[in-house]
Amino acid sequence: MSVEVGPASRSLVGVPVDRKRQPSGDDARARAMRAAISVIAEKGTAALRMSDIAARAGMSTGHILYHFGKKDRLLLEVLAWSQADLWARFQEAADRAASPAERLDLFVRSYLPRHQGDERYALWTQVLAQRHDEAGRRVLTELLDGWDERLEAIVREGRDLGQFAEVDLPEFTIRSVAMLSGISEDVMFGRSRWQDTSAHAFALAALERELRFSRPA
């Protein structure tokens, strides 16, 4: 569930606060969110303070509180923003892709963490480890279902165009996302099996084998 955060998030560390030059609007929110993702991945949730996010973003604590409100809303808000940002990037790339096969490749690349310390995937781990009320569970369910829906749309398009074999779409989606989640946990844990093997190539090949038309002997 990852995509490159970009150099902007890394360049925020230690930025001094100039209250006359506080960012505003969407830029400020994006800056606060990227800082929050970075701090949550680094410190976890137990020791997290709003002032940590403010320092990382080069913003005042009051400015951060304006964007997040209470701390107990922070994780879900940051995760929802992160996923919306990721899906916007994914859709932009998918719109340029020449085929469902290319979109499937993009889906796998977007889902898997890029490396062991991937900040966006670490955020997912932190959020899923928390206890949530019914409203929070609904938010998480919608975000998780978003991945299923995107994969189903890609496979359905490929099938309708005659490029993918017929599969039980709900079953294929459940199995595929479960496999990608397992591989993602392996990568984040640092399993040695992925040091010399591309997790992306391995997962994509597994999906393609199921979607490939079987040829008569």
Side-chain angles (χ1 to χ4, degrees):
M1 305 176 184
S2 177
V3 74
E4 178 66 50
V5 175
S9 63
R10 293 190 291 271
S11 66
L12 296 175
V13 180
V15 175
V17 176
D18 182 350
R19 288 173 173 78
K20 293 182 180 180
R21 298 178 63 84
Q22 294 282 296
S24 59
D26 292 341
D27 177 66
R29 184 167 178 79
R31 186 163 167 176
M33 291 292 179
R34 291 192 183 100
I37 292 171
S38 178
V39 173
I40 291 166
E42 180 182 314
K43 295 179 176 290
T45 57
L48 180 66
R49 299 177 303 173
M50 291 296 201
S51 58
D52 296 326
I53 300 173
R56 187 67 56 94
M59 298 162 67
S60 69
T61 303
H63 215 84
I64 294 298
L65 288 170
Y66 170 79
H67 288 290
F68 294 122
K70 297 179 180 179
K71 182 180 174 181
D72 58 7
R73 291 169 43 197
L74 175 62
L75 287 178
L76 282 174
E77 287 201 20
V78 173
L79 181 62
W81 179 89
S82 175
Q83 284 304 112
D85 178 61
L86 172 58
W87 284 334
R89 294 167 185 258
F90 168 79
Q91 192 59 53
E92 183 180 352
D95 289 343
R96 295 195 303 266
S99 67
E102 287 188 18
R103 282 186 272 280
L104 182 66
D105 183 306
L106 286 167
F107 178 89
V108 173
R109 195 177 300 278
S110 296
Y111 194 102
L112 296 175
R114 293 170 292 114
H115 51 73
Q116 185 178 357
D118 187 282
E119 291 180 339
R120 289 183 187 257
Y121 209 94
L123 174 61
W124 265 102
T125 302
Q126 295 284 345
V127 174
L128 292 175
Q130 302 295 306
R131 296 184 64 179
H132 300 281
D133 59 17
E134 189 60 33
R137 291 179 63 83
R138 281 199 301 271
V139 171
L140 284 172
T141 298
E142 289 177 5
L143 294 176
L144 291 167
D145 286 350
W147 289 100
D148 293 6
E149 292 162 4
R150 283 162 175 78
L151 179 57
E152 286 187 2
I154 292 168
V155 176
R156 186 180 295 108
E157 179 191 19
R159 181 195 62 192
D160 292 347
L161 290 173
Q163 298 176 15
F164 291 160
E166 187 72 38
V167 293
D168 184 316
L169 196 50
E171 182 180 318
F172 173 83
T173 300
I174 292 171
R175 187 168 57 252
S176 299
V177 171
M179 178 194 68
L180 291 170
S181 295
I183 292 175
S184 296
E185 291 171 5
D186 258 12
V187 172
M188 292 298 289
F189 183 70
R191 294 288 295 275
S192 59
R193 65 178 58 159
W194 304 115
Q195 290 179 0
D196 300 317
T197 302
S198 165
H200 166 259
F202 180 93
L204 182 61
L207 299 186
E208 289 176 336
R209 278 194 298 271
E210 286 204 60
L211 295 172
R212 190 178 301 133
F213 287 103
S214 58
R215 292 179 172 81

